[in-house]
Amino acid sequence: MVKTKDLAEFLKEHVFIRFGVPETLTVDQAPVCNGPEIRDMAEQYGFKLINSTPYYAQANRDAIDCTPYELVYGHKAILSLEMSVRTIRVDRQSHMTLEAYQEAMSIMNLYVEAKRAQALSSLIRQKKLTVESYNKRVREKSFKSGDLV
C-alpha cells in the first residue's frame, strides 16, 4: 500500500524535478493524496492542492440509463448467481425460441445503438467543458533564441 510519505517523495523526485512545480495539483479523495505530508509540501512549494469531485458511477449511468456492460455487449450482464437461482429473466430467456430470441436481440441492438450515440454525445460535451475549463488557466508564453527554458 502506498503511504503519503512515499507519494510525496515520488512527486518531488519524479514529477517536480522533471516538469517543475505545478500551479495546482489535482488529486482524488484518497487519504494518501490528502495526508499531512502532501498538504505541507503544497504549502512549502507554493502550489494549490485541489480535490477532484468524486466519481459516482450510478449517477453517470443514470445519465444514459445504461451500464457500460450494456453499451459493449448489448444486454445486461447475467451474474452466475442468476444462473444458479434461475431468476425470471434467465428462465424467460432460456424458454425463448431461436426466432424470438433473434428478434429480441435485434430490437435490443437498436436500443443499444441509440444509447451508444447518446453516451458518445455526452462524452464529447463533457470533454469540451473540460477543455474550456483548462484553457482558462493557460497563459501564452513566447521564447526568444538564447532564452533559458
Side-chain angles (χ1 to χ4, degrees):
M1 182 172 172
V2 177
K3 296 180 182 172
T4 307
K5 180 182 170 187
D6 298 332
L7 178 61
E9 287 295 317
F10 176 83
L11 288 171
K12 288 177 192 174
E13 294 175 9
H14 298 284
V15 177
F16 297 169
I17 289 175
R18 180 176 290 168
F19 302 106
V21 178
E23 290 181 23
T24 62
L25 181 64
T26 304
V27 296
D28 62 12
Q29 303 289 328
V32 71
C33 299
N34 290 294
E37 289 92 347
I38 301 296
R39 280 185 267 123
D40 291 345
M41 187 173 64
E43 190 174 310
Q44 177 186 356
Y45 285 89
F47 63 87
K48 186 175 180 182
L49 195 60
I50 299 173
N51 282 306
S52 65
T53 57
Y55 173 72
Y56 292 108
Q58 187 69 32
N60 196 22
R61 188 195 76 161
D62 289 343
I64 57 171
D65 192 35
C66 201
T67 64
Y69 186 93
E70 289 175 89
L71 291 174
V72 173
Y73 297 105
H75 57 85
K76 293 182 179 180
I78 297 175
L79 304 173
S80 57
L81 177 66
E82 289 182 278
M83 296 301 288
S84 60
V85 174
R86 299 294 289 185
T87 62
I88 294 171
R89 178 169 68 122
V90 171
D91 197 45
R92 189 180 314 141
Q93 186 175 338
S94 64
H95 288 96
M96 292 177 88
T97 64
L98 179 61
E99 293 79 21
Y101 181 77
Q102 287 174 335
E103 184 177 337
M105 285 295 105
S106 64
I107 291 169
M108 182 58 83
N109 282 340
L110 294 174
Y111 166 79
V112 169
E113 286 300 320
K115 290 298 177 185
R116 284 178 183 156
Q118 184 182 357
L120 180 61
S121 66
S122 175
L123 179 67
I124 290 170
R125 192 171 44 253
Q126 185 61 40
K127 291 287 184 187
K128 284 181 182 176
L129 289 172
T130 303
V131 166
E132 289 172 7
S133 173
Y134 280 110
N135 284 343
K136 287 179 183 177
R137 295 186 226 165
V138 173
R139 292 187 212 118
E140 191 171 317
K141 296 179 182 179
S142 59
F143 300 99
K144 297 175 188 165
S145 181
D147 287 351
L148 295 176
V149 291

